[in-house]
Amino acid sequence: MPGIDECLLEAMRLPGARGAALVDWTSGLALGTVGEAPGDDHETTAAEAAELARLAAEHGAFAAGGSDHGGPPVEDLIVSNRDSYHLLRFVDTTFDSSVFLHLWLARAEGNLALARIRLGEMAARLVLG
Amino acid sequence: MTVTFSPPPPPLPVRDRATAQDRTTGALSPMLRRLAEEEATGVLEREHGTLHLAGGRVVHAESPHAPGLGVLLTAHGTLATAAWQRAAEAGGPADAAHRLLEAGLLPEGALALCHLDALYDAGYFALSPSSTPGRFRYDSTPRRGPLPSVPVVQLERETLHRRLLLHRLWPDAAADSAALVRAVPAGTAPVTPRGRAVLDRVDGVRTAPEIARALGRQAFHTLVDVRRLTAAGLVRPVSVPYHPPYAPPAPPPPPLTVTDPDIALLKRLRDALEAL
C-alpha cells in the first residue's frame, strides 16, 4: 500500500519523467512533490496546474454529466508542449476531495500513451491500496 | 625582520535585515514560530483551533469550524462510523489516524491524503486572527508517525494563501461564519455542481462550517463555494439586511454595564488608544 511519496516516486520511474506532484485543485496546494518543476518552482506550477484542472472539472462543456459520487467526470488532461508533456490525472477518492496527479514528461524520452495508463493505475492504487 | 601574521579581526556583526524580515514574514503566530524553532513537542491551543506539534512540525490540527478526519472519512462511507469511534476512543482524535493505519483499515495513500486535507483545513481556522493569546502545553503525546507532518512555515504560508484566495473571490468574510440565506440574484450566474450542493443546503439557519459538516467536505472548500455564491448574489449572510426599505433609526444602545470585563478586549482597547 503506497503512501503519497511512494506514488510520486513510482511516477518518476516512467521514461522521460521530469517531475511529479499531488495537487489540490481547489486551493492550488501541492500535497507532495518530487523531481523538477518548470522554472524550478513546484509551488507556482501547482497553483497554475490547479487553475487548469479546476476549469476542466467545473465547466459544463467538459464536466457535463457528472459522476455518481460527486467527482468530476474528467479523467485526465494532456498539455503538449514543444519539448514536454504535462499530464494531469484526477484522483477519484471515496471521501470528498479535489486532487490530481501532475506528471511532467520530457517529450523526447516520454511515452504519452504509456504514461497515461500508468498514471491512471497509480491514482487508483494511491487511494485503493 | 620578523613578519607576524595576525588573523584578521572578525567582521563586525551586522544585522541582516533581509534575514530578520524572512524570519517574521508570514508569521501568523510569533509563539508558533518560536515553538517551531525550538522543535517543541506539545499542544498549542488558540481561540479557533488547536495545533499538535511534534519536534516543531504540525502533526495534527483540530478546529470547531472544520469537520475533521472522522467526518471526512465516515460521511461518504470510506470508513464505518463504528471503526472511526474505536480508533478515536483508543487514543483521542489526534492519534486516530495512526491507529487506523496500524489497523490496516484504509490504504496508506488515502489515509495520508485525507489526513493532510484535514490538517490544512483545521490549521486554517486555528491560525485565524484571535482576540485571546494562545496557550502552549508541553506534552510528549504528539508523535511523528508514518503519516505526513507539515512544517509550521508551510502551514502558515498555505493559510495566508487561502486567505488571499478567499479575499479575491469575495472580499467580505461575513458569510464565512454567519447563518446563510438564499438571495435572488440580479442576473443568472452559472453554478458549479459542487456549488449547487452547497446552495441546496442553504436554509437560513446553517452556517458554512455546518454545511461542510453536512456534506462531509473540507470547511475551506465550502468557504470557497460560499464566497463564490455570495459574489454571484445567490447567497448572503442573514445578519446583513437585504432591502432595508424604510428602517426606523435604531434606538440608542443601552449604557454599557460590564460586570465581567473581557481582559483581551480591554487590552485591545488599551493598545488601540496607545496607538492613537
Side-chain angles (χ1 to χ4, degrees), chain A residues 21-104:
Chain A
L22 180 72
V23 181
D24 179 304
W25 52 261
T26 308
S27 66
L29 170 69
L31 295 162
T33 56
V34 292
E36 302 171 69
D40 242 352
D41 188 347
H42 274 290
E43 210 170 305
T44 305
T45 302
E48 290 175 358
E51 284 290 324
L52 188 62
R54 190 178 61 76
L55 286 178
E58 287 183 346
H59 281 230
F62 311 109
S67 65
D68 337 330
H69 40 274
V74 184
E75 284 185 347
D76 48 28
L77 297 172
I78 299 161
V79 178
S80 314
N81 291 7
R82 250 189 293 248
D83 65 344
S84 64
Y85 296 115
H86 290 271
L87 188 53
L88 276 56
R89 174 80 198 195
F90 286 88
V91 180
D92 208 356
T93 53
T94 51
F95 51 91
D96 191 89
S97 72
S98 59
V99 289
F100 63 92
L101 284 169
H102 177 190
L103 176 67
W104 189 33

Side-chain angles (χ1 to χ4, degrees), chain B residues 66-122:
Chain B
L69 186 66
V71 173
L72 294 179
L73 284 177
T74 54
H76 301 275
T78 309
L79 185 70
T81 310
W84 167 257
Q85 279 168 349
R86 270 198 302 279
E89 274 165 16
D95 211 32
H98 286 118
R99 283 174 191 281
L100 288 175
L101 188 65
E102 284 159 12
L105 286 170
L106 290 172
E108 185 181 341
L111 190 57
L113 175 53
C114 202
H115 163 74
L116 278 178
D117 279 349
L119 194 158
Y120 279 106
D121 199 34

Side-chain angles (χ1 to χ4, degrees), chain B residues 172-210:
Chain B
D172 186 2
D176 291 1
S177 51
L180 298 170
V181 67
R182 281 164 177 257
V184 183
T188 51
V191 179
T192 64
R194 291 178 65 85
R196 172 66 57 193
V198 171
L199 187 59
D200 286 346
R201 278 158 187 82
V202 169
D203 58 2
V205 179
R206 285 193 179 115
T207 62
E210 284 162 0

Side-chain angles (χ1 to χ4, degrees), chain B residues 135-166:
Chain B
R135 284 183 306 144
F136 186 72
R137 182 162 41 84
Y138 287 91
D139 183 344
S140 58
T141 324
R143 57 172 174 140
R144 278 180 68 183
L147 288 172
S149 58
V150 175
V152 161
V153 176
Q154 168 73 19
L155 179 63
E156 286 184 325
R157 280 168 66 91
E158 178 57 17
T159 298
L160 284 170
H161 167 81
R162 291 182 176 203
R163 278 188 205 167
L164 183 67
L165 195 157
L166 289 178

